[in-house]
Amino acid sequence: MRAAVAALVLGGVTAVAAPAPAHAETVREQQWWLGALSVAKAQQVAKGDGVVVAVIDTGVDSTQPDLAGALLAGTGTNGVTSQKGWDDPDGHGTQMASVLAGRGSAVLGIAPKAKLLPIAIPIGNRELKNPEGTLAEPIRYAADHGAKIINMSFTLADDELKQPEVDAIAYARAKGAILVAAGGNRPQGDDHVPLPARYPGVLTVAGTTRAGGLWDGSIADPTVDIAAPAQDIIGAAPKSRYSSGFAVGSGTSGAAAIVSGVLALIWSKYPTLDAANVLNRLLTTARDKGTAGRDDAFGHGLIDPYSALTATVPPVTADPLGPITAAASPSPPPPATTAPPGDAPGLSSRTIRAAAVGGGSLLLALLLVFGVARPC
């Protein structure tokens, strides 16, 4: 693996801390998507009990009241040192975790009884001089530690498919997991769905507005599978980063976390279903948006948690995301820290971005460049 200097680049924009709520508006009330998606009604049916969701991100702050009892012992990968994955110097991973499975002290997650497996990778403020390996390491770790759902609320700036990552995705799917990824953000420079969402076998999530239309930063692309709220997503965040203890932003990061939460609800209600049928429930019960039927903007439509839990859905035998084609080999040992010149680059020379941008007129672009620092 080539040595590189990691640099966090804020492309002329600012991270947005959640403002103190107006007198009549609590943090919960700022979670507008709970009402828009009838989440309270869905949570009368299921709350995510018994389902483990891996959060591959910047780590998760274990001191958050909203995540009390939610975290399993995770890890840091790709050279990141993190005790159980229970720290978050950036805040992005904590925000996604609370949107997904917040216990409701302030932020109520979609699946408030799901368990979270935090896996820290070198994005956001986790700057490393020598990041290691590829996304294969955290994906395989998640699959090997019981995750049924693997949430990836970030994007890669390059389009080079890496065979170790293709194989790791196949490995996780062969073990029965569903991988969910953010579908990219135009404010960050994306003009098509980036990796890892672009990998075959990964559920690609687009973003919607408060009104249910397509968020203007979302990307219409043939790989889009489903849509979820992406505008003004508020979540818990470390007070070391945000004095209010909350952060808000718009982007497909939040949309992906919401979809992962809905999948946890479905699996909690139907624990004997395989991944294909859990996905089928999610996709076939979505609210049709845009062009009738599946389209490139919304995929199968806007998620409908209550319908996904209660509708009569015939079983399927084929996975909606296609067959598992790559070798599903046993997990390899941790990757070496060096590689011969000319090998395909790993994380040390790739760009990983947290797929969220700030609310209102302020745009948050967390851009971590492995190699040469550059503006976004």
Side-chain angles (χ1 to χ4, degrees):
M1 195 65 59
R2 295 194 295 271
V5 176
L8 178 67
V9 180
L10 296 177
V13 291
T14 308
V16 181
H23 178 70
E25 187 178 45
T26 65
V27 169
R28 182 75 57 82
E29 288 167 340
Q30 291 182 69
Q31 292 185 268
W32 61 268
W33 61 92
L34 297 179
L37 298 177
S38 301
V39 170
K41 189 176 180 182
Q43 289 179 349
Q44 291 176 358
V45 180
K47 294 187 176 181
D49 308 67
V51 181
V52 175
V53 184
V55 178
I56 301 177
D57 213 292
T58 59
V60 177
D61 178 13
S62 64
T63 69
Q64 285 291 328
D66 280 307
L67 296 172
L71 301 184
L72 300 174
T75 191
T77 65
N78 303 102
V80 169
T81 300
S82 177
Q83 183 68 29
K84 301 180 181 179
W86 287 8
D87 65 307
D88 183 7
D90 182 273
H92 188 266
T94 302
Q95 185 184 6
M96 296 303 102
S98 66
V99 168
L100 199 164
R103 273 21 189 179
S105 173
V107 178
L108 179 65
I110 299 295
K113 290 193 175 180
K115 292 289 188 179
L116 301 179
L117 180 71
I119 304 174
I121 61 174
I123 61 175
N125 280 359
R126 288 194 177 277
E127 300 181 14
L128 296 179
K129 289 186 177 181
N130 296 291
E132 304 165 0
T134 68
L135 291 177
E137 184 183 354
I139 290 171
R140 285 179 178 268
Y141 182 94
D144 286 341
H145 288 78
K148 300 295 289 182
I149 301 153
I150 300 173
N151 187 77
M152 299 182 289
S153 289
F154 57 86
T155 65
L156 301 174
D158 66 64
D159 282 328
E160 183 182 353
L161 275 66
K162 305 281 190 295
Q163 192 60 44
E165 293 172 350
V166 173
D167 291 344
I169 289 166
Y171 176 75
R173 293 180 71 200
K175 295 197 74 160
I178 297 172
L179 297 93
V180 181
N185 301 323
R186 292 193 180 280
Q188 290 177 281
D190 297 322
D191 59 7
H192 61 275
V193 168
L195 297 174
R198 202 170 190 83
Y199 273 120
V202 174
L203 187 74
T204 300
V205 183
T208 61
T209 65
R210 290 172 179 260
L214 188 69
W215 174 57
D216 61 8
S218 193
I219 297 165
D221 188 280
T223 62
V224 170
D225 295 302
I226 196 76
Q231 185 179 26
D232 300 335
I233 305 299
I234 190 170
K239 287 192 173 182
S240 59
R241 285 281 288 163
Y242 303 99
S243 60
S244 69
F246 304 96
V248 64
S250 297
T252 55
S253 270
I258 290 170
V259 168
S260 289
V262 176
L263 288 169
L265 295 182
I266 298 171
W267 237 321
S268 176
K269 170 66 175 175
Y270 302 99
T272 62
L273 288 185
D274 60 11
N277 281 281
V278 170
L279 281 167
N280 188 51
R281 274 195 163 271
L282 179 83
L283 299 176
T284 60
T285 60
R287 306 170 191 171
D288 194 17
K289 292 281 184 178
T291 305
R294 194 222 158 268
D295 63 74
D296 289 353
F298 297 91
H300 291 268
L302 175 63
I303 55 168
D304 187 335
Y306 184 72
S307 292
L309 293 172
T310 60
T312 299
V313 178
V316 295
T317 55
D319 193 310
L321 298 182
I324 303 170
T325 56
S329 58
S331 291
T337 57
T338 60
D343 273 14
L347 291 185
S348 62
S349 57
R350 301 171 81 184
T351 302
I352 307 181
R353 301 173 295 194
V357 296
S361 62
L362 296 176
L363 300 180
L364 166 62
L366 291 178
L367 177 60
L368 183 59
V369 179
F370 295 105
V372 180
R374 66 184 186 190
C376 53

